[in-house]
Amino acid sequence: MNWNKIIRQLHRWLSIAFTLAVVVNLAAMGQSEPALWVGLLALVPLIFLLLSGLYLFALPYAERWRRQAR
C-alpha cells in the first residue's frame, strides 16, 4: 500500500468536494437568509485539503533530506 498515492487521490477528491461546497454556498447566498451551516460547509473539506496539501508539499523536501542522511 503506497500512502503517497492514497493521499494524492484523497486530495483530488477533497478538491472536488470543496468546489461543490463553494458552489452550494454561492447558490445559498442568493437566498434571502442562508443558513449558518451552509456557510461552514466549505470549511470541512478545506481543513483536510490544507493538511493533505501540506503533506504533499513537504514530500520532495523530506525525500531530499532522507537521501542526504544516507
Side-chain angles (χ1 to χ4, degrees):
M1 178 161 48
N2 191 350
W3 282 104
N4 294 343
K5 287 184 179 182
I6 292 171
I7 292 180
R8 282 184 199 280
Q9 191 66 30
L10 178 69
H11 188 77
R12 289 181 186 129
W13 282 104
L14 283 170
S15 67
I16 293 170
F18 175 70
T19 304
L20 291 175
V22 168
V23 169
V24 168
N25 196 353
L26 290 174
M29 291 297 182
Q31 305 297 326
S32 60
E33 187 66 34
L36 177 65
W37 66 268
V38 176
L40 298 176
L41 184 66
L43 290 180
V44 175
L46 184 61
I47 292 168
F48 292 113
L49 267 174
L50 173 68
L51 296 174
S52 62
L54 287 173
Y55 174 80
L56 292 172
F57 178 78
L59 272 179
Y61 298 107
E63 183 64 32
R64 194 175 312 147
W65 177 71
R66 277 189 231 132
R67 259 190 264 133
Q68 288 176 354
R70 284 188 223 163

